[in-house]
Amino acid sequence: TVSQLDSDKLLSNTFLSLDLPLPDDDQIDLPQWEDDSYSLSPYTLSGLKALGFTSPTLIQKKAIPVALQEKDLVGKATTGSGKTLAFGIPILEKYLTNLNTIKENNKESIINQPTGIIFTPTRELAHQVVDHLNKLAKYSPLSTLGIVSITGGLSIQKQERLLARGPGILVATPGRFLEIIEKDMEVCKRLAATDILVLDEADRLLQDGHFDEFERILDLFKKHRPKQKNKPWKWQTMVFSATFSKELFGKLDKKNKGNKNGNSNGSSL
Ligand code: ADP
Ligand code: MG
């Protein structure tokens, strides 16, 4: 993925169009992925079909309908249970909704802010998440290059250039992400306007040094987020982990109490 990101013809607004052809199947028959309360876009369903996933895993079945209602949620499920798509599918759906809104308003404007920012504890995990979401988004207007990783080990200049092009989904490790938003307030403002924040492997993510980094990211985001109808912008927050230590709950709780607008309508899964 790294060398792909280097190419100069990348991101030439390909993911800003909803006129992308879908695969040549007249019917995407995946009834298990939808029910009376929600449906998924054909772009998402085509990706799932290509992956060969005919039905959701348990965590996906529980989390996706809640997430599609733009509620905060906490999801606990063992390793290998499919947590990536439990947040990946709702983010892709939200991205498509955002694109549609722009199209309906006939705006020339591009989407400046990412739809979702996913934090993972390590760069290896970040790259795994990017690979997985790229497969899901294979037929979507995000194509492959609208999803980028912001992790250590890659040149920061390159990542800043990628960010300037307005990718739809970021997958980040806290250290490098903090470095980037501390450097440039305009970038911070743009990223703080994201719709969705995900903490993947939250237990590990908020251990040790990462917790301080994450707190600083949230402080900067709170300071620079846009206002919406005179209220501070509210992110939809999803927290996923295989384990939840008491310590982590204590930290999350403390954060919630400190956030007056955190009208936590969340459901715990
Ligand atoms: P977790 O994050 O919970 O450890 P992953 O999201 O990495 O789990 O998924 C674990 C594996 O299950 C991956 O190989 C993924 O491709 C596969 N997988 C995810 N969702 C489904 C599904 N609905 N049906 C079949 N396989 C799936
Ligand atoms: Mg995972």
Side-chain angles (χ1 to χ4, degrees):
T1 34
V2 181
S3 55
Q4 279 179 328
L5 300 181
D6 214 9
S7 141
D8 228 11
K9 51 181 186 338
L10 65 154
L11 307 191
S12 48
N13 276 356
T14 40
F15 46 86
L16 290 174
S17 159
L18 260 183
D19 302 323
L20 219 75
L22 284 163
D24 235 3
D25 272 333
D26 35 353
Q27 218 150 42
I28 314 160
D29 195 22
L30 294 175
Q32 307 239 46
W33 279 99
E34 302 180 297
D35 71 19
D36 293 344
S37 68
Y38 75 98
S39 56
L40 300 176
S41 116
Y43 295 103
T44 307
L45 290 171
S46 303
L48 288 169
K49 192 175 176 187
L51 277 162
F53 297 171
T54 48
S55 60
T57 65
L58 189 58
I59 185 74
Q60 290 162 2
K61 209 172 162 57
K62 287 189 166 187
I64 290 168
V66 176
L68 288 174
Q69 291 176 42
E70 311 203 336
K71 289 181 177 163
D72 293 343
L73 68 88
V74 176
K76 177 173 180 281
T78 54
T79 303
S81 57
K83 292 189 288 296
T84 315
L85 293 191
F87 56 78
I89 290 171
I91 295 176
L92 178 57
E93 290 290 317
K94 178 71 180 170
Y95 181 82
L96 294 166
T97 306
N98 286 345
L99 265 191
N100 251 327
T101 308
I102 286 194
K103 214 180 165 189
E104 276 165 15
N105 295 339
N106 273 328
K107 278 196 193 148
E108 296 282 310
S109 72
I110 59 158
I111 301 182
N112 262 320
Q113 74 279 16
T115 295
I117 304 177
I118 299 151
F119 291 100
T120 69
T122 66
R123 68 179 80 147
E124 290 74 21
L125 275 169
H127 296 154
Q128 276 173 31
V129 170
V130 170
D131 286 346
H132 201 158
L133 295 186
N134 271 332
K135 286 179 193 146
L136 173 72
K138 184 173 173 192
Y139 297 103
S140 84
L142 271 176
S143 73
T144 49
L145 297 169
I147 304 172
V148 304
S149 59
I150 302 295
T151 64
L154 297 173
S155 131
I156 195 164
Q157 288 80 10
K158 214 176 278 175
Q159 291 176 345
E160 284 167 337
R161 259 183 282 136
L162 285 170
L163 282 176
R165 308 224 186 182
I169 301 178
L170 304 181
V171 187
T173 47
R176 173 56 63 88
F177 192 84
L178 179 62
E179 205 180 328
I180 285 181
I181 62 172
E182 273 181 334
K183 241 176 98 179
D184 188 333
M185 202 184 69
E186 288 309 313
V187 171
C188 181
K189 274 186 178 167
R190 202 151 49 75
L191 301 185
T194 188
D195 296 298
I196 299 170
L197 291 178
V198 176
L199 279 67
D200 190 21
E201 301 281 341
D203 225 352
R204 287 171 69 194
L205 182 64
L206 298 184
Q207 267 166 18
D208 316 322
H210 277 334
F211 187 67
D212 297 327
E213 289 166 347
F214 199 72
E215 263 193 325
R216 279 159 72 194
I217 291 170
L218 278 185
D219 286 343
L220 280 170
F221 263 29
K222 281 180 187 164
K223 200 165 143 197
H224 295 296
R225 66 181 150 179
K227 284 211 150 104
Q228 191 188 35
K229 295 179 186 144
N230 285 324
K231 281 193 186 151
W233 182 255
K234 167 82 173 72
W235 309 284
Q236 180 185 7
T237 310
M238 301 190 229
V239 179
F240 283 92
S241 201
T243 53
F244 279 95
S245 64
K246 275 185 189 156
E247 197 197 5
L248 170 65
F249 266 125
K251 282 172 175 174
L252 288 174
D253 224 31
K254 208 175 111 211
K255 278 240 97 49
N256 267 340
K257 280 179 189 142
N259 180 5
K260 279 185 203 151
N261 282 300
N263 56 329
S264 186
N265 48 1
S267 58
S268 291
L269 297 175

